[in-house]
Amino acid sequence: MTHNTPTLSGKVVFIQGGSRGIGAAIAKRLARDGAAVALTYSQSAQHAEILVQEIQAAGGKALAIKADSASESAIRGAIQQTLSTFGQLDILVNNAGVLAIAPIEEMSMEDIDRTLSINVRSVVIASQEASKHLNDGGRIINIGSTNAERMPFAGGAVYAMSKAALVGLTKGLARDLGGRGITVNNLQPGPVDTDMNPENGEFADSLKQLMAINRYGRAEEIASFVAYLASPEAGYITGSSLMIDGGFSA
Ligand code: NDP
């Protein structure tokens, strides 16, 4: 590798939920680091297309695929489409997630099922499908949440449960795939300024009081941690849930 070769040159990434927010920042960063990027979305076709054009205009390779993470066949189909377009798979990023906040007495069965379906079941399905194809030395990177370990307000029980499930899943998958040099990790962001959790939203001021660094994180800061975990340098980190939360859980 020459000094100027990008760290992910020749690698192929599949990002589940990559059209907006943290997922879009990850797509841009990994493309900048040299990877070909396939990303899924369920609703935001326009965001996905603009992002793909932006990556291509910067000289990168990108593909947007409409695939609802609530659908097993859509997830498996999107991974197959990535393989047929780019010819291989090296890195899976499970980013798609939803946040439903309500007192437990009032939370609908629909919201409970949807949270588990998008935040947990889709991660299992994508990991299973990707595992069949990931090259040796590959990567699975889940986007969990600091709320897996600290949920400092009411109404977030089901969301916290869904992100805590990823802690165990990550450990088990690390054991399943370690023999192939594939690492599996779970990044746990604190509040990050996105459509899901805008820095000017109703919870923002109280959340900032809970952090050692009293500001929201930027999606690009999460993406740079993902880029490190995806890189060859991070080959000895696996099974870990890693906080990137401005000290929210400190
Ligand atoms: P956003 O709501 O801003 O973006 C979510 C992304 O996931 C979009 O690209 C969206 O595309 C996609 N997505 C959502 N549902 C589906 C689905 N059913 N099928 C396919 N794609 C889907 O969220 P964030 O960027 O804020 O969050 C990303 C991840 O980070 C989530 O897992 C979230 O739980 C986690 N996180 C976020 C924090 C924050 O403060 N923002 C803090 C800690 C963790 P589309 O709209 O097209 O469906």
Side-chain angles (χ1 to χ4, degrees):
M1 190 187 281
T2 66
H3 187 62
N4 291 323
T5 306
T7 45
L8 299 181
S9 191
K11 305 286 188 196
V12 175
V13 182
F14 176 83
I15 304 175
Q16 182 166 212
S19 54
R20 294 182 292 110
I22 294 170
I26 294 169
K28 275 193 248 186
R29 174 59 195 260
L30 300 190
R32 198 181 89 196
D33 288 355
V37 175
L39 58 98
T40 67
Y41 64 93
S42 66
Q43 311 278 337
S44 52
Q46 217 184 343
H47 284 91
E49 274 317 317
I50 291 168
L51 179 58
V52 164
Q53 284 166 18
E54 216 180 300
I55 291 171
Q56 290 171 342
K61 287 186 191 161
L63 167 73
I65 306 168
K66 183 174 165 68
D68 188 342
S69 293
S71 157
E72 179 196 349
S73 60
I75 297 167
R76 293 192 196 278
I79 291 175
Q80 290 301 329
Q81 196 179 331
T82 303
L83 288 163
S84 58
T85 305
F86 293 129
Q88 65 188 62
L89 185 62
D90 301 281
I91 299 159
L92 164 67
V93 179
N94 288 306
N95 171 77
V98 291
L99 171 66
I101 299 278
I104 195 65
E105 308 91 310
E106 290 165 26
M107 182 157 288
S108 67
M109 211 47 229
E110 194 187 345
D111 276 347
I112 294 170
D113 286 343
R114 185 155 180 79
T115 302
L116 289 171
S117 170
I118 310 300
N119 294 12
V120 183
R121 183 175 177 266
S122 82
V123 182
V124 180
I125 295 166
S127 299
Q128 185 185 46
E129 189 64 31
S131 297
K132 298 175 194 163
H133 307 285
L134 277 171
N135 282 322
D136 287 2
R139 302 278 185 261
I140 297 179
I141 301 164
N142 300 324
I143 305 300
S145 169
T146 191
N147 291 140
E149 296 192 20
R150 187 177 189 213
M151 175 45 82
F153 50 82
V158 174
Y159 181 76
M161 170 181 68
S162 74
K163 294 302 190 179
L166 299 183
V167 175
L169 179 64
T170 297
K171 290 177 199 250
L173 287 175
R175 295 281 181 186
D176 281 351
L177 302 175
R180 290 157 57 192
I182 296 169
T183 69
V184 187
N185 291 292
N186 180 40
L187 275 199
Q188 297 179 308
V192 177
D193 184 26
T194 64
D195 295 340
M196 180 189 278
N197 185 7
E199 184 156 19
N200 56 9
E202 60 176 312
F203 301 113
D205 282 341
S206 54
L207 285 173
K208 281 183 205 167
Q209 303 309 315
L210 299 173
M211 290 181 264
I213 294 169
N214 302 111
R215 65 165 174 85
Y216 269 43
R218 309 273 163 247
E220 293 72 23
E221 291 175 305
I222 311 305
S224 66
F225 201 170
V226 171
Y228 170 65
L229 288 175
S231 76
E233 278 186 293
Y236 201 56
I237 305 173
T238 195
S240 293
S241 285
L242 302 156
M243 291 293 181
I244 172 165
D245 69 351
F248 187 90
S249 58

